[in-house]
Amino acid sequence: MSARFTIARLGSQGDGIAETEAGEVFIPFTLPGETVTAARQKDRATLMSVLEASPLRIDPACRHFGVCGGCALQHLETEAYRQWKREKVVHTLKIKGIVCDIGALVPCAPQTRRRVVFSARRTEAGMQLGFVRALSSEIIPIEECPISLPEIVAALGRLKALAGLICATTKSFHMTVTVTGSGLDVAVHESGKLGENQRRVASNFVIAEGLARLAIDGEIIVEPKKPVVLFGGVAVAVPPGAFLQATAAAEQAMADIVGRHLARAKKVADLFAGCGSFALRLAAKSEVHAVEGDAAALSALDRAFRFASGLRRVTSERRDLFRRPLTFKELNAFDGLVFDPPRAGAEDQSKQIARSDVPFVAAVSCNPVTLARDLRILIDGGYALKSVTPIDQFLWSPHVEAVALLEKPKRRR
C-alpha cells in the first residue's frame, strides 16, 4: 500500500529521507522538499510518483536510471549535486572534530569511467549482461551508460557475446572491463571452469574482436596485446584485475595535489602503492620506496620503473600493511609520504605515521568515514591538517574521494 511522504533531506547514500511518527523512511530517487507517494517496507519505500517536484529535479541522463542499481543522483541539478557531495566530506570530518580548509569538489565529467564491473548470467531467455538492481540479485541488461567511456559502451554487444562463450555456471558472475592503451582488458570472476573447446572458442573470439586480454579468476586465457596504462608518461603493463582509479582525470588530479605537497621531499614512501600511480609520478623528482601487499601489482610497478627513463630510484617492498605496518622508526628515513588504502582505511599504519617525524604526508581515501578516523589519529599525533580536496570520480553515486595534506614541524634533536 502506498502512502504520501514529504522529503526532508538527502541521506548519505543519496536517498531522500522522510520523517514520520514511526521513524525515518528512506526513499531512493527523491529530493528534499518533494511530496511523493511511495510503497513502504519498514524503513524503506519504493517511489511510486512525485506529486510536488523540487526545483532542483532534472531529467536523468540515462534511460536505465532508477532501475539498473548504478547511479543514485542523476535527477539532482549539477551544482546542487556537487555541493551535496562536498558536504559529505565536510560533515564527516566535523563529526571527528576536524575543521580545516576544504576545497571545492573536483568534478567528474560524463563518459570518463575507464573501469566497469558488469554482472552476467545465462537465463532461459538468453545471456544477460548489465548491472544488478539495487537491493536485489536481478540483472538489468543495459544498452547505454553515460558514465562510462564510449569504448566500453560500444563493446556491450561483444562483451555479452563473450560472456556467453565463457559461461560455465548457472549462477551470476562478474566481468570487469578496463579501457587500456592496448584495448579492452576483460577480467572475469566465478564464471565456472572452462572446457578446452570453450577456451579455444573464447580465445579466437578475443583475437578476432581486437580485445587486449581475457583472464578468468586470475588466469590469463589469451593476451593478444599486453594491456598498458600510463602513469605520468610511464607505461605500466597491468596484471589481470589490477586496481586502477576509476577515471584517468581523477587520478591525475590526485597525483597533482600529492606531487605539489611532496615536491620538497627527497625520499618518499608510497604506502598501498598498487601498480605505481603515485610512485612512478613522484619518481620524476624524488627517490621512492613503494610498499604494497599484492605481488602482481608490485611486480608491474617494478618492471615499469626498470624500463622507464629519467626517473629517480624506485625500490619496492611486498608487505601487508594491515598486519605489519611500517613502524615510525622505519618511516623516519623519509621526508615525504603518501598513503592510499582501500575503503577500510589505514588505522594501524596511521598510528605509526603519527609517531614519526615525516614532515610532509598526503592521505588519499575513497571513504570519508575512515579518512576522518585516520586524520584524527594523525592530528592527535602532532600533524597539522593543511587542506582537504574532495574529488568526484564516481559520477552520480554517493562515493567521493578526498586528498588530505598534512605537515609536522621538525623536532629539535
Side-chain angles (χ1 to χ4, degrees):
M1 179 180 292
S2 64
R4 180 180 292 219
F5 299 91
T6 299
I7 307 303
R9 63 189 186 280
L10 286 180
S12 63
Q13 298 303 304
D15 296 341
I17 299 178
E19 297 174 347
T20 72
E21 293 182 356
E24 294 179 340
V25 180
F26 296 82
I27 310 175
F29 317 122
T30 61
L31 298 175
E34 292 188 329
T35 302
V36 305
T37 58
R40 181 173 183 173
Q41 307 93 28
K42 297 182 179 180
D43 65 344
R44 298 192 62 84
T46 302
L47 178 65
M48 307 299 289
S49 64
V50 178
L51 303 178
E52 296 179 24
S54 165
L56 297 177
R57 178 174 284 275
I58 61 174
D59 292 333
C62 179
R63 77 183 86 167
H64 304 299
F65 177 67
V67 179
C68 85
C71 298
L73 289 156
Q74 285 189 21
H75 59 306
L76 179 57
E77 184 271 334
T78 300
E79 191 54 40
Y81 159 76
R82 290 175 181 172
Q83 290 175 2
W84 174 81
K85 193 160 262 195
R86 176 182 179 275
E87 185 60 30
K88 280 174 64 75
V89 177
V90 174
H91 176 72
T92 305
L93 295 184
K94 193 174 293 184
I95 290 173
K96 286 289 188 180
I98 300 171
V99 179
C100 76
D101 175 27
I102 296 182
L105 180 79
V106 177
C108 181
Q111 298 184 321
T112 57
R113 183 154 184 159
R114 64 182 174 185
R115 189 187 74 247
V116 177
V117 182
F118 294 109
S119 293
R121 187 171 190 171
R122 192 187 304 282
T123 69
E124 292 182 358
M127 202 68 209
Q128 291 184 326
L129 180 78
F131 299 124
V132 175
R133 185 193 293 268
L135 304 176
S136 166
S137 59
E138 179 187 3
I139 296 175
I140 305 299
I142 63 165
E143 298 178 30
E144 63 178 314
C145 182
I147 67 170
S148 301
L149 281 169
E151 294 94 318
I152 295 177
V153 177
L156 284 171
R158 288 179 287 157
L159 294 170
K160 179 179 176 180
L162 178 59
L165 294 177
I166 62 171
C167 180
T169 179
T170 58
K171 300 178 181 179
S172 62
F173 58 94
H174 294 110
M175 178 181 280
T176 301
V177 181
T178 305
V179 177
T180 75
S182 318
L184 296 183
D185 181 18
V186 182
V188 181
H189 299 281
E190 299 182 339
S191 60
K193 185 175 176 57
L194 289 188
E196 285 303 315
N197 187 58
Q198 272 186 302
R199 280 176 174 263
R200 184 170 59 254
V201 171
S203 297
N204 290 340
F205 180 89
V206 167
I207 295 168
E209 296 296 332
L211 303 178
R213 176 170 63 196
L214 170 65
I216 298 179
D217 294 327
E219 178 193 357
I220 296 175
I221 304 301
V222 62
E223 188 181 67
K225 295 170 283 187
K226 192 169 287 293
V228 171
V229 297
L230 293 178
F231 294 149
V234 179
V236 180
V238 293
F243 172 79
L244 291 175
Q245 299 293 349
T247 76
E251 178 183 272
Q252 188 61 55
M254 290 186 279
D256 288 345
I257 296 168
V258 171
R260 286 193 295 268
H261 187 58
L262 302 182
R264 287 180 283 170
K266 294 181 179 180
K267 292 188 66 177
V268 173
D270 180 3
L271 310 185
F272 307 95
C275 293
S277 59
F278 290 115
L280 294 170
R281 287 178 167 97
L282 292 168
K285 296 182 178 179
S286 309
E287 286 190 13
V288 180
H289 183 59
V291 186
E292 167 61 44
D294 183 84
L298 202 62
S299 176
L301 188 164
D302 183 64
R303 188 165 54 248
F305 162 68
R306 294 181 186 282
F307 281 92
S309 59
L311 299 183
R312 302 287 178 89
R313 188 165 69 116
V314 176
T315 55
S316 57
E317 177 183 357
R318 186 184 180 191
R319 185 159 169 171
D320 184 340
L321 292 170
F322 292 107
R323 295 188 177 188
R324 196 163 63 91
L326 262 69
T327 67
F328 71 94
K329 291 183 178 180
E330 291 174 289
L331 292 170
N332 284 341
F334 305 97
D335 48 7
L337 182 151
V338 57
F339 66 105
D340 182 13
R343 288 188 62 80
E347 184 174 11
D348 289 341
Q349 184 63 76
S350 294
K351 291 176 181 177
Q352 293 298 322
I353 297 171
R355 297 178 65 190
S356 79
D357 294 333
V358 181
F360 300 102
V361 170
V364 182
S365 174
C366 63
N367 184 346
V369 174
T370 55
L371 174 64
R373 179 201 64 203
D374 294 346
L375 290 180
R376 183 75 266 167
I377 293 169
L378 296 175
I379 293 167
D380 291 345
Y383 277 93
L385 181 58
K386 296 300 184 179
S387 69
V388 177
T389 304
I391 297 173
D392 189 12
Q393 70 165 329
F394 301 99
L395 185 61
W396 296 317
S397 84
H399 302 297
V400 59
E401 294 268 347
V403 179
L405 305 179
L406 305 100
E407 294 182 12
K408 176 183 280 191
K410 288 187 177 180
R411 298 175 184 173
R412 292 183 179 179
R413 300 289 182 180

